[in-house]
Amino acid sequence: MRPSVSTLLLLATLALPSCAVKHEDFRKCKDSAFCRRGRALAQRAKDAAPGSWKSPYTVIDEAVRVLPNSSGITAVLQNELYPEIKFRIEVRVHEDGVVRVRADEVKGLKKRYDEAASWALIAEPKLAPQYEVTWAVGAWDTTGYYKGREIRVYYKPFRIVLFQDGREDIVLNQEGLFHMEHFRLKAPAADKTEEEAPKPEEAADQKVIEETKKPAKASAWFEGEEEDGYWEETFKSWTDSKPKGPESISMDVSFPGHQHVYGIPQHAAPLSLPTTTGPDSFFDDPYRLWNLDVFEHEASSTMSLYGSIPLMHAHSAKSTPSVFNGPEITMQKDNIHYGGWEHRDVHNINGMLYANQTARAMVAREDVPKRPFVLSRSFFAGSQRHGAIWTGDNMGTWEHMKVGLQMALADGIAGMTFSGADVGGFFGNPGPEMLTRWYQLGVFFPFFRAHAHIDTKRREPYLLDEPYKSIIRDLLHLRYSLLPVWYTAFRETSVTGMPLLRPQYVMFPKDFKGFGIDDQFYVGSTGLLVKPITQEGVTETSVWLAENEAYYDYFTYKSYQGSKGGKLVTISTPLEKFPVLIRGGSILATRERPRRSSALMKHDPFTLTIALDSSGGASGQLYLDDGESYSHQKGELIWREFQAAVLGKKAKKGSLQIMSIDLATAKPDEAVDGAPLSSTYLPTNTFAQSIKDVKVERIKVVGLLKQPKEVLLHNETPEPTPLAWEWDSDSKVLTVKNPSTKIVEDWTITVKWV
C-alpha cells in the first residue's frame, strides 16, 4: 500500500512539482512485448501489397453446429500456419439482442484465465428464446437472423459481421489482424561447447566458412521473424518470466459508417476517443488497460490509470495493488495467486474484488444488514455493484477539471456510473474562481466530494472570501435540494444500467452533430441539462439543444427554444451562474428547505417543478425508500409518477390536468432490480406509512401560454377544492401554494383557463 502521509513529509522538503508523474516508471507499448507484436502485425498488414494480405484463420465448415436451443452456434477455427492447432469459437445471441463471441484453444497445453466473467457478472446472460433466432448453415458462411438483425460468420478468411437494417454495423477481423497466440513448448536452448583455439600454424591453413543462415520462418509474414518476448521480457531491473509463453489475443474491430467510438475507461482523454495511429493521430501510444497507482496523473494521455472496463462501443479507498518497489509500482506479472493463476491474469480484477469483499463484509457484520458505502479508486467490470469510485490523483488545473468530466462520462457509459473527480484537484492550489467553477461541476457528479493532499493550502468553502463563499454555499444547498432527483435517477440506473450522466449522443442517438460533445450532459432521464464552465474568465457559453423543444433555466425559468436539426443557444455565465436547464416535458420533485444533513430532510415537504413541452405535457418520477436497509427489496418504498397534460384541442383553451399515480402498483416488478414485487408490494407499506404526512408544499408550472382562472384539487370530497396560486406574467410561471396533497397518495389538480 502507499506510504503514509507522514513518511512522505519526511521525504519531501520542497514544494510539490507541477507534474510529478514519472513516465519512466510505467510501460508504454514499446516496453510490452505483446503490444509490440500486435502493432508490428498491424504494420505488416499495412505494408503488404494491395489485396495480398489475408487472414490465415479459417472456419472448418463441416464443424459448424447449431446449439440445441438455436440461440447460437459453435465452430472450429484453424490457423493455417499451425494446422495442428484448433480453436473453438461460440457465437451466442442473448435475450437483449447482444451477440457474444467467445474463443478458446481446443486441448491447449495450458489454460487461459476464464474466471473474470464469474466475478463481473451477477449471472450468465439469458439466451434468446428459440423462436427468435434462426440459423442458415451454408458452404461459405453461416447466418443467424434475429429481431431484424443478422450475424454472419464467414469461413475463409474468418470474419464475423453484424448487420443492422442490411448494413454492416460491426465487423470482426475485417483487416485480417485476428491472432490468438496458441500455447507452445519452449524450444530447448542450443548446446554451447567450448572449442579449443587452433594453433597458429593450423589457423593459417583454415578457410573462411560463411555462417549458415537460419531457415526462413514460414509464419514470418504474419508473426514476424523474431520471437519477441515470448518467454520473458525485462522492464528496468525486473524480469518477467512467462512459463506459459505467448498467449495474447489481437483483433481488429471495425464500425463501418461510424466516426466516434467511446468507452474503455479509465483514461484522461476526451469522451469520443481520439486516434492513436496514423500521421494525424492525437495520441501516439495505444489506450492501455492495466490498473496502475499513478501519482498526479496527466490531463491528456492514453496512460493506464486506476481502473479499467474493457467495453467499447460506437455511435454513427484505493485498492489498486501497489508494491512500491515492484515493476510499475505493482507486483510482478509472474507471481502466482490462489488457483495457480499468474498475476497477469488477475491484475485488473483485483480492485473489484477488494470492493466486493469489503461490501460483503460490511453487510455480514451487522445484525440487521445495511447497504454499505464502499469507495475505491481501482475498478473493473462489475465494480458498480459494490460501490463508488473517484478518478484519482488529479491536479488543481482547468485542464484537469475538464478531463474529470470526460472521465466521469466515459466511466458511466461503461457501467461505472457512481463516479466523480476530486473537486478542486487532489494536488495544487486552485484560485477562488477555479474552485467556484469546480464546485458548480462537482455538485452534478454522481459522487461529489472535495478532497486534497495534505500539502495543499486549506480550501474549505467557509474560509473563502465573498462572493465565493456564498456562491459555494448556495451550490451545496442546490445539491441537497436535488437529492430526491438524484435518488430517483440512481434507482433507474440500478434497474436499466443506463448511465447517470448521459452524454449528448446517449440522449439523442440520431443527432450526428452531438456525437463529439463531452462538455455538457443530462442527469439520467430527469430532464436536467448541465453545461459546466471549465475555462478561466468565461462570461458566456453556448449550449447545444438537439430538438425542437423548449428548455428552461433552472433558476430563472427563462425559456430557450431549440430547433429541428439542433441549435446552439448562448447563455450568460457570470461567476455565480452556469447553465442548468430543464428540458420541456419534465417534472422534478425537490426539497427546498435547507438542512444540516440529508437525514433531517426525511419529513420535509416537496416542491414539484413542471416544465411543459410544446404540446403542453410533462412527466417525471419520484422514488424513495429508507436509504439504509434492504427492506426496499420487500416492497418497502414509494415510486410515484407525476403527469401533466392539456385537456382540450389547444394549449390556450381547456385545462391542464396534473396527476400523481402509484407507479409501484402499476409496475411492481420494475421497481427494484432483481426483486419482483407483484406479490409483496402494498401502497400502505411500512416505509410509506412512515412518511404518510409528507406533503407537496408548492407546485410550479413553467411554460403556460396564458394566465389561468382557477386551480382546483380533486380528492375524495364531492366537490373540488379551490387552491391558492400566483401568476408571474414576466416568466409565465404559475405557483400553486400549499396544495396540501400527500406525496404518497393519488391526487389530481386541474388548472383552468375557461
Side-chain angles (χ1 to χ4, degrees), residues 15 37 187 194 257 307 350 422 426 434 442 485 551 555 594 616-617 679 693 750:
R37 296 197 300 269
E194 294 185 4
N350 187 74
D422 287 344
F426 184 62
M434 184 192 301
V485 176
Y551 283 71
F555 307 102
S679 62
D693 294 325
T750 303

Side-chain angles (χ1 to χ4, degrees), residues 54-58 77-85 87 156-157 218-219 221:
K54 186 179 72 172
S55 172
Y57 287 87
T58 61
L77 195 63
Q78 177 177 279
N79 183 347
E80 61 188 31
L81 301 176
Y82 302 95
E84 73 281 5
I85 304 298
F87 302 91
K156 188 173 183 179
S219 63
W221 68 272

Side-chain angles (χ1 to χ4, degrees), residues 195-206:
E195 297 182 3
E196 186 177 339
K199 296 178 181 179
E201 61 272 17
E202 294 175 347
D205 296 332
Q206 290 180 349

